[in-house]
Amino acid sequence: MTEALETPDPDHRKFIVDVLGAIGTPAARDVLIKRLDDPDRNVGAAVAEALGRIAGPEAIVSLKRRLAAPDTDLIQRVYILDALASSRTRLSYEEVSPWIGQPVFERQVLALLGLCEDPRAFEPLLAGLTATARKTREVAVKALARRVTDLTDVQVRRIREVLEELRGVHPIIELILDYRQLSKIKSTYIDALPALINHKTGRVHTCLLYT
């Protein structure tokens, strides 16, 4: 099958790439990695997509290398970013930042920022909530939902202001708003109650303090 990839027919090469991606073995992965530099843009994109499905450290390293290469085709770069996002690869903010603000990469970048723990990822994600395209807004909502437990109170207030205006765009928005409200009630009251139990009576008692 490796020899078949040397055919000058790009359609034939793409078919072989799709087959190798479906096989998904380490041997198939190694062959695909060598084809990331295929001169045909569609074949290169298919290789990126196949490697994203296979995933694994070797595939991810190769995808990241090709993503950063200055001669990488625009279409292949879209597929690489999509492959990294679909495989839940955690990229650093520095690795994602070159593609922030470029509309063609918007959805893929937002998905990757949702996996990024860097606090600088918050602003682009917040901006994604007001994107023109509905699917882009949905990606931003899901990405922020992954980070919901790490958000500061200020960030939560800013998100809430935007989300209140977007109610109905996606069911997860309602869930996020409900989650934050319920988690605050839980942390303020329910989680605090055990520490207030009287060890002698096993109950919580009122205490009146006069000043």
Side-chain angles (χ1 to χ4, degrees):
M1 195 168 288
T2 302
E3 292 75 14
L5 279 170
E6 300 303 324
T7 176
D9 184 352
D11 290 334
H12 190 185
R13 296 202 304 275
K14 184 177 181 300
F15 173 75
I16 298 300
V17 165
D18 291 338
V19 172
L20 289 171
I23 294 173
T25 62
R29 176 205 62 209
D30 292 342
V31 173
L32 288 169
I33 288 174
K34 295 177 181 179
R35 300 306 306 187
L36 264 175
D37 299 329
D38 193 282
D40 184 85
R41 65 194 310 187
N42 293 322
V43 175
V47 171
E49 187 176 32
L51 287 174
R53 289 197 300 270
I54 296 173
E58 297 84 356
I60 298 306
V61 168
S62 298
L63 287 170
K64 289 167 66 174
R65 173 191 61 79
R66 190 60 195 165
L67 176 67
D71 62 333
T72 300
D73 181 82
L74 177 66
I75 292 179
Q76 188 182 29
R77 190 161 275 145
V78 170
Y79 275 84
I80 291 174
L81 287 168
D82 194 58
L84 293 170
S86 62
S87 61
R88 299 295 182 90
T89 301
R90 292 183 179 274
L91 299 183
S92 68
Y93 184 81
E94 284 72 22
E95 289 175 308
V96 181
S97 60
W99 325 116
I100 294 175
Q102 300 189 41
V104 68
F105 305 128
E106 195 167 28
R107 294 176 195 170
Q108 292 81 5
V109 166
L110 290 174
L112 289 167
L113 289 175
L115 300 167
C116 177
E117 298 178 354
D118 195 301
R120 291 174 292 178
F122 175 75
E123 292 298 333
L125 287 173
L126 186 66
L129 293 178
T130 57
T132 303
R134 180 189 178 99
K135 286 194 174 182
T136 301
R137 295 197 301 269
E138 291 179 355
V139 172
V141 168
K142 292 178 181 178
L144 282 167
R146 297 191 190 102
R147 301 166 54 93
V148 69
T149 57
D150 301 321
L151 299 174
T152 66
D153 288 341
V154 173
Q155 290 175 332
V156 170
R157 283 197 297 271
R158 293 180 63 192
I159 292 174
R160 181 177 290 277
E161 291 172 359
V162 176
L163 292 183
E164 288 289 356
E165 299 176 3
L166 296 174
R167 281 186 183 272
V169 170
H170 193 281
I172 200 172
I173 292 179
E174 303 288 342
L175 296 176
I176 293 173
L177 293 173
D178 290 344
Y179 174 85
R180 289 303 303 182
Q181 183 178 7
L182 294 173
S183 64
K184 190 166 186 178
I185 292 173
K186 177 178 178 293
S187 61
T188 303
Y189 301 105
I190 299 176
D191 292 344
L193 284 176
L196 301 175
I197 295 175
N198 186 295
H199 296 294
K200 293 181 179 180
T201 64
R203 299 179 179 182
V204 176
H205 301 278
T206 58
C207 180
L208 300 177
L209 299 177
Y210 294 94
T211 58

